[in-house]
Amino acid sequence: MGFTMGLNFVLLLVMVATNILSLYHLSSTVQSPNPPPPVPVPDHLLRQLNTIRATINHLTRHNPSSSSTTAEPSSAVPRDLILHSQIGPIASSCHNHPDLLHRYMNYTPFSTCPYDPDLQETLILNGCHPLPRRRCFSRTPSKPPSSLPLTHFPTSLPDSGVIWNKYSCKSFACLSQNNPTGFDLNAQRSSLQKYTSELDLPLTQFMQLAKSANSPIRLGIDIGGGTGTFAALMKKSYNVTMLTTTMNVNAPYNEAVALRGLVPLHVPLQQRFPVFDGTMDLVRCGRAVNRWIPLSVMEFMFYDVDRVLRGGGYLWVDRFFSKAVDLEKIYGPLIGKLGYKKVKWAVANKTDPSGLKHGEVYLSALLQKPVSKS
């Protein structure tokens, strides 16, 4: 019944869209007895029709006619996915991965949720975010830690605070040994406090710059902040609250941030920041923001940064890397479109094997949003 109604609704949309398209063509030809050459159909109408066609194909593929069989097919859309679609929106990119979405929503309501972190991560990284809600109980570690760290820089993080099933490492000690850049908390700490090259901006210097500009720093977002060391330093040293966006790619980054008493945001780079307009004093882009991000995704991200920053707030680009020619012709002009004041703009060669091979450079920049825009 629900499937039939959904299909009928989509067919109605087709009729409406077709009528709009027809009216568009009529309006472009009835103006004159000598009709001009055909007017190209606007891209937004074509995209709308393509989306509707894809939805019809999706519904018919996963919902065969009830007259052909009385039993529910194994490929049928999960009931809770239909129910959720009636009470809340589902990200459009989710429809590009129906099989993965069906696996995610194929569970027993009111029981323990399936353990599928890899599936969730795949969907999110492919733009299916936020994921639909599920009516099940999330899994927790079998033996949660008896006590949690009371400092943002503990000597170690409790292994019992993580479900390690999907990871090759089964402890934070293993992660620290195999991924010291990400999980050696003290190594990252020192790199943010020292000046060793023109690319560095020690926190003390940044806070002095903000103070001299009469632009207090209280709230911020650290994009791709890994285990949250930047947020930990800002909280410990200056009582600044930073939200850390991070993904669990091959390691429990979100759990690490939370175990340090900080706030992780499990959102991909293409996701709109879940904060209100003009509320952040600082947005920092760490090394996760680099030339491997599609240009359109990066452009939308920078304009979302502008959305959440208050007037006078700061965008801190920390060691963004790209090819030197691309920085000059693509990324520099892209950042320049924001119209921010350049407080710092430093470029240096990337001297590791990849950087030397591809002619890459690092950019470290501190940019201040204008106090007011009209």
Side-chain angles (χ1 to χ4, degrees):
M1 178 68 177
F3 293 120
T4 304
M5 291 177 63
L7 188 56
N8 288 338
F9 177 71
V10 172
L11 290 173
L12 177 62
L13 287 178
V14 172
M15 293 173 59
V16 172
T18 305
N19 288 337
I20 291 174
L21 193 58
S22 299
L23 287 171
Y24 177 83
H25 280 292
L26 284 172
S27 67
S28 64
T29 57
V30 300
Q31 304 290 334
S32 170
N34 298 318
V39 179
V41 180
D43 288 343
H44 69 275
L45 284 180
L46 291 175
R47 286 196 298 268
Q48 197 171 20
L49 287 171
N50 288 335
T51 300
I52 292 170
R53 288 194 195 100
T55 304
I56 292 175
N57 292 335
H58 170 67
L59 285 172
T60 54
R61 179 160 65 93
H62 289 278
N63 178 42
S65 172
S66 57
S67 60
S68 62
T69 177
T70 56
E72 184 175 340
S74 59
S75 62
V77 180
R79 293 184 182 277
D80 264 32
L81 179 55
I82 298 298
L83 178 60
H84 186 279
S85 68
Q86 296 169 354
I87 61 175
I90 296 176
S92 60
S93 293
C94 296
H95 299 295
N96 297 330
H97 307 277
D99 297 331
L100 294 179
L101 184 62
H102 290 185
R103 280 174 53 198
Y104 173 72
M105 292 300 290
N106 189 15
Y107 66 96
T108 303
F110 316 117
S111 64
T112 303
C113 295
Y115 183 71
D116 51 10
D118 285 336
L119 176 60
Q120 296 179 40
E121 208 81 2
T122 300
L123 280 167
I124 292 173
L125 289 172
N126 280 285
C128 183
H129 189 272
L131 290 172
R133 288 175 170 172
R134 299 194 289 194
R135 297 182 296 167
C136 56
F137 300 100
S138 63
R139 294 175 182 264
T140 57
S142 57
K143 296 180 179 180
S146 56
S147 62
L148 295 171
L150 298 178
T151 173
H152 302 309
F153 289 95
T155 54
S156 63
L157 295 174
D159 296 331
S160 56
V162 176
I163 299 176
W164 295 96
N165 300 28
K166 76 166 209 168
Y167 303 115
S168 55
C169 273
K170 306 301 179 184
S171 68
F172 283 111
C174 172
L175 287 173
S176 181
Q177 182 178 358
N178 290 278
N179 184 12
T181 303
F183 283 87
D184 185 338
L185 308 185
N186 288 316
Q188 281 193 316
R189 180 180 185 176
S190 60
S191 68
L192 290 166
Q193 293 178 308
K194 295 180 179 179
Y195 184 92
T196 57
S197 77
E198 58 190 327
L199 296 172
D200 294 323
L201 179 59
L203 290 183
T204 52
Q205 183 182 359
F206 165 68
M207 295 302 288
Q208 288 171 359
L209 287 169
K211 184 178 180 180
S212 63
N214 195 26
S215 182
I217 305 298
R218 308 152 301 132
L219 300 169
I221 301 175
D222 187 18
I223 303 174
T227 56
T229 296
F230 182 83
L233 268 175
M234 293 295 281
K235 189 66 177 178
K236 176 181 173 61
S237 302
Y238 304 102
N239 196 30
V240 174
T241 299
M242 298 291 300
L243 306 175
T244 301
T245 76
T246 189
M247 298 294 295
N248 278 19
V249 178
N250 301 323
Y253 290 97
N254 279 271
E255 292 94 324
V257 174
L259 287 170
R260 300 175 77 173
L262 304 165
V263 182
L265 294 179
H266 189 213
V267 296
L269 293 174
Q270 65 266 41
Q271 172 64 28
R272 187 177 191 263
F273 300 123
V275 297
F276 195 69
D277 301 7
T279 54
M280 298 291 106
D281 305 314
L282 168 66
V283 175
R284 175 180 175 266
C285 298
R287 300 191 188 190
V289 179
N290 55 62
R291 74 181 182 95
W292 296 113
I293 301 172
L295 186 61
S296 58
V297 172
M298 188 178 299
E299 185 171 31
F300 275 103
M301 185 199 72
F302 279 131
Y303 278 94
D304 202 37
V305 168
D306 179 77
R307 178 185 66 82
V308 302
L309 275 177
R310 63 167 175 80
Y314 290 94
L315 166 60
W316 182 347
V317 180
D318 192 359
R319 283 179 170 78
F320 172 90
F321 73 85
S322 70
K323 294 182 179 180
V325 64
D326 290 340
L327 178 61
E328 179 183 353
K329 295 183 177 181
I330 300 174
Y331 300 113
L334 174 62
I335 297 172
K337 287 181 182 179
L338 296 174
Y340 287 10
K341 175 184 176 182
K342 290 184 179 179
V343 181
K344 177 184 177 73
W345 187 276
V347 179
N349 291 329
K350 188 169 180 281
T351 56
D352 62 3
S354 174
L356 295 173
K357 178 180 178 180
H358 299 289
E360 293 173 332
V361 295
Y362 280 122
L363 165 68
S364 284
L366 183 65
L367 308 163
Q368 186 176 26
K369 180 177 179 177
V371 174
S372 63
K373 280 190 174 183
S374 58

